[in-house]
Amino acid sequence: MKQNDIKRLSLYLLFAPFALWITLLIVLPHLGMLYISLREKVAPRVYEFGFANYINFFNEPIYWNTLLRTGSMSLLVTVLALLLGFPIAYYIAKIAGHRTRGALFLMCLIPLWVSDLIRAFGWILLLRETGVISSGLQWAGLINAPIEFLYNDATVIVGLVYTVILFMIVPLVSTLDGMDDSMIEAGYNLGGNGPTVLRRIIIPYAMPGIVSGCIVVFMLTAGSYLTPILLGGKNSSWFTEQIYDQFITRYNWESGAAFGFVLLAFTSLVIWIGLKLSGQTLNSTVARS
Amino acid sequence: MQSTTENDLECIEVKKHFGSVRAVDDVSFDIPKGSFFSILGPSGCGKTTLMRMIAGFEQPSSGDIRIKGRSVIGTPPNKRNVKMVFQHLALFPMMNVYENIAYGLRCAGATRDVIRTKVHDVLARISLPDVANREISQLSGGQKQRIAIARCMVLDPDVLLLDEPLGALDLKLREAMKIELKLLQHQFDTTFVYITHDQSEALVMSDNVAIMDKGKFVQIGTPQELYHNPAAAFVAGFVGDTNRWAGRVTRVENGAVEVETEAGLFMRGSVRGAGAPSIGDLVNAFVRPEFIRAEKSGAAAQKIDAGHNVIEGKIDSILFNGANSRVLVRDRAGELIEADVVLTGGTEDLKPKDDVTLSWRAEQTMSFLA
């Protein structure tokens, strides 16, 4: 009896920090936001319960266009990160020797030691009109006037891929690492050529890692703020910027909160569709890696 | 190059070097059509490398490998008609049984109908007709084993390579699978090349066994030949259980020798292997436990023929294992000698501390020049 009580107490104590973190920092703020988002401002300091903030979002094309743009660009970033990350992960997990594997993995991690902000400024140094690339090209005689590489969609996408690719590589390496090399050899032995083995064996095997990486990368990209703002400037029209405007510039917390929930619902929907299409579940992907 | 023989697989002076390490050193053999051939050797002897070269995952440094008389050097693994059952089977966990077996046929470009008939046909032949829609994780160890074989056999390979596929199974299942593999080989009538370090697997199943050590083939022969007429001390020591003595030759007479062991025992034996020993040479002498008769001292003395070796000793312990029971006898010199005995459970059985007389025919002592 007493032994049992101690066990239970220690379990509660161990669970407490996690429970506090979830309730105080995630559940409560979101409940507060939900409450705010459902308030309609009818007069100064007079509020009514209603969906006006959400209806407002759908009535204003600029809002949902920004959301769709953010969504589609995030998908593009996810696809690019996957296409770039998969060969890297495959090399680290399957081709590199034991010692180089650790070094390569570390090299992937090093950019994380520098803050997002600093890394974005690094890109600015490289890409701005008077930056390294522009002046380098001028010096080489390839162009005769400085070029502004910043403030366009391509730059935003490059910057975002760079920021998030690590989160694609890590789960991919861990799933590919768990794959027995003889599985690939068996694929060849039974008559498959390179593309067949990749398509029928390696990719299906790595699917949980692929989906898990894509979910994380998509979420991070759609919710990112710094990189689109700094590299894309005002042209980037990222949805998080819209939310920031509502909260800070227009001081319209009700509308900002509603936008936040719209973004959450939208990304969740995209991920749900992705899971359905790939035949995976959250349990088999994110929970496992 | 066209070969005149009916061999499914030939290796001619195959060598493989990894840097200065000779993993496979000058190995030649040929395997006749439809036979069960085992390559038996301790771990690290190069047998896996040899098999990977046959499958095409490694290229030999020199030499030739021919399948059905055609050299396959330079042919990529997916173009060779050699299929392989991997050590951990390497069934594809993301596909069900049907898809696993169909994979190879799909790669070969078979039509949907052909695939369906062939898959069901092969499943029937391995007597698992109802598992087509199961997931791999739902199969038992023995079933996985058979699916892995079926996945290869459905492609009608010239040679099937098996890389210690029984290693992961528990003892009981392993015994059953040995017999089953032999039956499957008969049924499919395909050449099986079986790699193992487990001598009993090799002896039970094979038509021919090659003993491999340090990258070289020491002896190729039927299991009986290897067991009763080993060509080298390594084979005598590796295949089957044996008592082993190191000693010096004290007398030589046409094909027979007398050996004094390091502990001072004298025994007569037959000369085996290469080279003729002369007096004073160092030799290794091997006697298999089942050839040694252990009887209580006194009672047995008169029955022993003149041509026998006789050693007196005391039973140290009894290793009871049903029909394979064995006694450990400590001789006067203090060494332990193993001898097989029949224990009936009656009062006549040997017991520890009994004085016993060990005897065996002189030619059962296999002596090899050290």
Side-chain angles (χ1 to χ4, degrees):
Chain A
M1 213 33 211
K2 207 170 174 197
Q3 198 71 70
N4 255 340
D5 286 347
I6 293 172
K7 248 189 197 164
R8 200 174 303 164
L9 181 67
S10 53
L11 190 71
Y12 287 149
L13 284 177
L14 282 172
F15 189 67
F18 177 72
L20 284 176
W21 179 62
I22 285 281
T23 18
L24 294 182
L25 295 177
I26 296 179
V27 177
L28 281 182
H30 274 81
L31 286 176
M33 278 298 170
L34 186 66
Y35 169 71
I36 294 174
S37 76
L38 290 172
R39 285 194 310 186
E40 267 177 51
K41 199 176 197 172
V42 285
R45 289 169 197 267
V46 184
Y47 299 100
E48 243 171 40
F49 177 84
F51 291 95
N53 297 313
Y54 291 92
I55 293 162
N56 206 15
F57 167 84
F58 288 103
N59 283 339
E60 188 62 69
I62 185 95
Y63 292 153
W64 50 263
N65 274 336
T66 315
L67 182 64
L68 286 182
R69 183 183 141 81
T70 306
S72 46
M73 279 180 62
S74 299
L75 277 180
L76 181 62
V77 168
T78 310
V79 170
L80 287 175
L82 178 62
L83 290 180
L84 276 174
F86 196 87
I88 299 173
Y90 189 81
Y91 185 86
I92 293 177
K94 288 281 153 228
I95 300 172
H98 254 292
R99 228 179 308 152
T100 42
R101 184 180 304 179
L104 286 172
F105 215 60
L106 197 67
M107 273 165 63
C108 287
L109 280 172
I110 283 174
L112 273 196
W113 297 357
V114 181
S115 95
D116 261 5
L117 191 63
I118 307 295
R119 276 185 287 163
F121 277 122
W123 279 106
I124 291 175
L125 271 182
L126 285 179
L127 297 175
R128 68 181 171 193
E129 221 171 338
T130 53
V132 176
I133 294 180
S134 177
S135 27
L137 287 174
Q138 269 178 285
W139 177 83
L142 291 171
I143 51 173
N144 38 31
I147 293 183
E148 178 64 271
F149 290 101
L150 286 174
Y151 314 127
N152 59 53
D153 286 356
T155 314
V156 173
I157 285 172
V158 168
L160 281 170
V161 168
Y162 164 78
T163 325
V164 294
I165 195 164
L166 180 74
F167 298 94
M168 185 63 89
I169 291 175
V170 172
L172 280 178
V173 167
S174 76
T175 31
L176 286 173
D177 215 21
M179 181 177 192
D180 193 353
D181 284 353
S182 62
M183 204 98 75
I184 299 166
E185 286 182 347
Y188 283 110
N189 182 256
L190 294 167
N193 52 20
T196 317
V197 171
L198 181 69
R199 189 171 55 84
R200 303 278 324 271
I201 293 164
I202 299 175
I203 289 178
Y205 188 93
M207 212 47 176
I210 293 174
V211 172
S212 140
C214 286
I215 289 176
V216 174
V217 163
F218 180 76
M219 281 301 215
L220 282 176
T221 315
S224 68
Y225 178 73
L226 263 178
T227 315
I229 293 291
L230 290 178
L231 298 184
K234 279 290 152 196
N235 296 334
S236 69
S237 2
W238 213 252
F239 195 66
T240 46
E241 222 181 312
Q242 206 66 255
I243 298 176
Y244 179 90
D245 278 354
Q246 297 297 331
F247 274 108
I248 307 298
T249 316
R250 302 181 55 191
Y251 209 67
N252 187 349
W253 277 51
E254 291 72 29
S255 162
F259 282 16
F261 272 93
V262 167
L263 179 62
L264 181 65
F266 177 74
T267 48
S268 307
L269 178 74
V270 170
I271 283 165
W272 182 79
I273 293 170
L275 284 172
K276 283 288 155 246
L277 285 180
S278 65
Q280 303 283 327
T281 62
L282 266 184
N283 249 340
S284 72
T285 54
V286 179
R288 217 169 59 170
S289 56
Chain B
M1 260 192 274
Q2 204 61 44
S3 162
T4 50
T5 47
E6 270 287 275
N7 291 330
D8 270 347
L9 177 66
E10 291 167 275
C11 287
I12 298 151
E13 288 166 13
V14 172
K15 288 183 193 167
K16 177 71 184 179
H17 301 195
F18 292 109
S20 63
V21 182
R22 293 178 171 195
V24 174
D25 196 3
D26 215 355
V27 165
S28 298
F29 62 94
D30 35 52
I31 303 176
K33 204 172 155 53
S35 65
F36 198 121
F37 187 88
S38 290
I39 299 174
L40 173 64
S43 37
C45 72
K47 54 189 193 295
T48 301
T49 310
L50 177 60
M51 197 192 47
R52 291 174 61 81
M53 286 193 286
I54 299 171
F57 297 124
E58 309 269 359
Q59 290 302 317
S61 309
S62 69
D64 196 8
I65 296 172
R66 292 178 195 169
I67 292 162
K68 285 237 183 271
R70 283 220 341 265
S71 172
V72 291
I73 302 296
T75 311
N78 55 343
K79 296 281 192 298
R80 298 184 184 194
N81 200 11
V82 171
K83 302 302 162 212
M84 181 162 163
V85 176
F86 288 82
Q87 191 164 11
H88 302 292
L89 305 181
L91 292 170
F92 307 131
M94 56 282 177
M95 305 180 194
N96 64 15
V97 169
Y98 183 92
E99 290 299 317
N100 260 283
I101 299 176
Y103 171 83
L105 294 167
R106 293 233 165 90
C107 291
T111 65
R112 192 178 286 265
D113 291 337
V114 172
I115 292 175
R116 191 178 306 120
T117 32
K118 282 202 172 179
V119 170
H120 285 116
D121 192 44
V122 80
L123 281 173
R125 289 177 83 173
I126 58 163
S127 28
L128 289 173
D130 303 322
V131 299
N133 292 319
R134 297 246 190 106
E135 294 300 320
I136 295 302
S137 55
Q138 294 171 313
L139 300 176
S140 71
Q143 287 174 329
K144 281 185 195 165
Q145 199 79 241
R146 282 189 270 174
I147 296 301
I149 294 168
R151 185 174 75 169
C152 297
M153 294 316 297
V154 78
L155 298 171
D156 260 325
D158 293 330
V159 177
L160 180 69
L161 303 171
L162 300 106
D163 181 11
E164 307 198 27
L166 304 187
L169 301 180
D170 61 64
L171 187 69
K172 204 84 192 185
L173 192 53
R174 199 153 63 211
E175 295 300 321
M177 278 311 293
K178 274 186 211 168
I179 300 164
E180 185 139 345
L181 268 177
K182 181 73 190 159
L183 291 176
L184 281 173
Q185 191 260 333
H186 265 293
Q187 201 191 348
F188 287 111
D189 197 27
T190 301
T191 302
F192 277 33
V193 178
Y194 191 90
I195 307 283
T196 183
H197 64 267
D198 182 319
Q199 41 150 317
S200 100
E201 286 174 16
L203 296 182
V204 169
M205 294 188 284
S206 320
D207 298 317
N208 281 292
V209 181
I211 308 289
M212 197 171 182
D213 182 38
K214 298 191 186 108
K216 285 180 189 291
F217 273 12
V218 186
Q219 187 178 3
I220 304 177
T222 64
Q224 286 88 339
E225 279 168 14
L226 295 172
Y227 194 81
H228 294 301
N229 293 312
F234 177 80
V235 179
F238 192 73
V239 179
D241 288 344
T242 173
N243 292 292
R244 174 187 196 134
W245 289 277
R248 198 174 284 280
V249 176
T250 53
R251 207 146 55 97
V252 183
E253 50 189 45
N254 51 26
V257 283
E258 189 181 61
V259 178
E260 183 190 3
T261 69
E262 282 167 343
L265 289 173
F266 282 91
M267 60 183 71
R268 278 163 296 159
S270 53
V271 179
R272 309 289 183 99
S278 49
I279 290 173
D281 283 349
L282 291 173
V283 289
N284 285 309
F286 298 87
V287 184
R288 300 212 182 271
E290 69 266 30
F291 295 132
I292 301 180
R293 221 162 71 195
E295 286 160 310
K296 283 188 183 153
S297 293
Q302 60 271 49
K303 283 184 279 176
I304 293 168
D305 297 328
H308 280 53
N309 288 309
V310 180
I311 287 177
E312 300 289 333
K314 195 190 264 293
I315 292 182
D316 192 86
S317 47
I318 289 180
L319 312 174
F320 181 76
N321 183 18
N324 306 317
S325 297
R326 188 164 281 187
V327 287
L328 290 178
V329 176
R330 197 171 288 280
D331 62 25
R332 298 269 149 84
E335 294 170 325
L336 283 175
I337 302 172
E338 292 183 28
D340 281 0
V341 290
V342 178
L343 296 174
T344 57
T347 49
E348 289 302 295
D349 278 359
L350 296 169
K351 288 179 285 297
K353 303 257 166 21
D354 280 355
D355 285 317
V356 286
T357 307
L358 301 177
S359 62
W360 66 93
R361 294 222 314 278
E363 64 261 34
Q364 302 291 10
T365 313
M366 304 181 282
S367 313
F368 295 90
L369 264 179

